[in-house]
Amino acid sequence: MEGLSELALDHVAQYFSALSEPSRLRVLNILRDGERNVGELAEMCACSQANISRHLSTLAKHGMVVREARGTTVFYRIADESIYALCDLVCGNLAKRLSEQANLLGNVNAKKPRKA
């Protein structure tokens, strides 16, 4: 982030903000397997089509997904596959940290004397 202007930092913050919603992360994860339409995404995410459409609009606004109309159906796909490298990095680090915390808690609980 060194050397970025205030405007660029604001755009970066907005980009990460778009990733801060679990439903959007679910959508991105589903699209990893290929394009889907709104109805399919809504069903797979257990959300309404209106809700999924709002999330897709946010993801499209930040250049994460692109839409393509075919007849009366609109399909969405990932615009830039590098989004997965970013998500995998963050998720991998988080999983490692949670595992370390669980190990620490397990060690603490193993040392506590049990009540009879």
Side-chain angles (χ1 to χ4, degrees):
M1 294 187 302
E2 189 176 324
L4 291 179
S5 69
E6 288 300 315
L7 180 61
L9 288 173
D10 186 52
H11 285 287
V12 170
Q14 289 177 28
Y15 185 86
F16 281 108
S17 176
L19 296 173
S20 69
E21 165 59 49
S23 293
R24 290 187 207 122
L25 294 175
R26 277 188 215 95
V27 166
L28 291 173
N29 204 36
I30 291 168
L31 292 177
R32 189 182 285 241
D33 294 330
E35 67 183 14
R36 301 281 183 176
N37 65 42
V38 174
E40 292 169 327
L41 289 167
E43 184 177 320
M44 295 172 88
C45 291
C47 293
S48 69
Q49 288 190 12
N51 194 3
I52 288 297
S53 290
R54 282 192 297 277
H55 290 307
L56 287 165
S57 175
T58 298
L59 293 171
K61 174 182 167 188
H62 294 286
M64 296 176 199
V65 299
V66 292
R67 60 181 299 222
E68 181 182 332
R70 290 187 216 137
T72 59
T73 306
V74 177
F75 289 87
Y76 289 84
R77 68 177 185 280
I78 295 301
D80 180 2
E81 296 281 330
S82 68
I83 188 71
Y84 295 122
L86 173 64
C87 289
D88 289 345
L89 177 67
V90 171
C91 292
N93 285 339
L94 182 59
K96 180 181 172 187
R97 199 166 7 146
L98 290 173
S99 177
E100 289 169 354
Q101 289 173 354
N103 287 338
L104 286 174
L105 283 175
N107 290 337
V108 168
N109 289 335
K111 292 179 183 178
K112 286 185 180 179
R114 297 191 183 251
K115 295 181 182 179

